[in-house]
Amino acid sequence: YRPNDGDFNIFKGDLVHILEGRDKGKTGIVRDIFWQKRWIYVTGLNTTLREHTEDGRTAYFHEENPLDWHQVALVDHTDNKPCLAELTYLEDGTATRVSTRTGAVVPLPPEVNEAPGMPSYKDTDPKAASERTYIVSSKTFAENVLFSPDLKDSVFERIEEGKDPIYNALRFRKAREKQQQQKQK
């Protein structure tokens, strides 16, 4: 799930500037993003001190807290200042982020080749996607299995002996439906 808001062009690994809160004015790298809640975790920023006690020994550590996506902005690499970025398309049709302030391209982080959510992202090869993998049939599942040419002889033996539970259940159901139809006539 991704937010439908076009302003949300921040990805894991991006350099961001914190706009609000205790760490206002600092920059950091996005460690993790939770799209559903629109939370962004920035490495080493917006932390709180936590205490963990085990076997009578106490340890203190800093835990990163989430920031709302309105509290961060991408950093424009030309002047290292925060900017808004909008999605635009290059001549070859790929989507990129462009700073609205300077007009410079804000590159995707190195971990992201094509971000899953950018319009140019393709998760399946077009040839594989156009291949027909399902053939519509009016037969039941048991009939499809029974008449499949790929079945081994042992499956046919089980079905013929009446040991296959799926086939027996379907046979019983059809017999019951026939009885009900006869009663209705």
Side-chain angles (χ1 to χ4, degrees), residues 1-5 8-11 35-36 38 115-118:
Y1 170 78
R2 288 280 311 272
N4 292 329
D5 201 328
F8 196 67
N9 294 321
I10 298 173
F11 297 100
W35 301 113
Q36 292 87 353
R38 298 182 183 206
M118 301 288 272

Side-chain angles (χ1 to χ4, degrees), residues 5-11 14-16 69 72-77 81-88 96-108 118:
D5 201 328
D7 293 336
F8 196 67
N9 294 321
I10 298 173
F11 297 100
D14 272 330
L15 184 65
V16 293
W69 70 285
V72 298
L74 279 173
V75 171
D76 191 344
H77 294 284
K81 292 184 180 177
C83 70
L84 290 176
E86 60 183 25
L87 198 63
T88 58
T96 58
R97 300 178 297 180
V98 176
S99 170
T100 55
R101 188 168 46 78
T102 62
V105 173
V106 180
L108 289 172
M118 301 288 272

Side-chain angles (χ1 to χ4, degrees), residues 25-42:
K26 295 181 181 177
T27 59
I29 296 174
V30 175
R31 176 180 60 88
D32 210 355
I33 297 176
F34 286 96
W35 301 113
Q36 292 87 353
K37 295 189 176 189
R38 298 182 183 206
W39 284 351
I40 297 175
Y41 287 88
V42 180

Side-chain angles (χ1 to χ4, degrees), residues 10 22 31 46 73-74 92-93 112 121 162-164 184:
I10 298 173
R22 195 174 41 193
R31 176 180 60 88
N46 197 32
L74 279 173
D92 61 353
V112 181
Y121 180 76
K163 294 180 181 176
D164 188 46
Q184 290 176 355

Side-chain angles (χ1 to χ4, degrees), residues 144-164:
N144 280 334
V145 170
L146 183 62
F147 299 114
S148 175
D150 301 331
L151 287 180
K152 297 180 181 176
D153 292 333
S154 63
V155 175
F156 282 115
E157 290 170 6
R158 279 183 40 214
I159 292 172
E160 288 172 3
E161 293 172 6
K163 294 180 181 176
D164 188 46

Side-chain angles (χ1 to χ4, degrees), residues 93-148:
T94 57
T96 58
R97 300 178 297 180
V98 176
S99 170
T100 55
R101 188 168 46 78
T102 62
V105 173
V106 180
L108 289 172
E111 300 90 30
V112 181
N113 293 336
E114 286 185 345
M118 301 288 272
S120 66
Y121 180 76
K122 295 179 179 69
D123 61 347
T124 307
D125 182 37
K127 186 176 180 182
S130 64
E131 181 181 327
R132 187 173 180 183
T133 57
Y134 177 73
I135 299 170
V136 179
S137 173
S138 61
K139 296 177 183 175
T140 64
F141 174 74
E143 289 171 340
N144 280 334
V145 170
L146 183 62
F147 299 114
S148 175

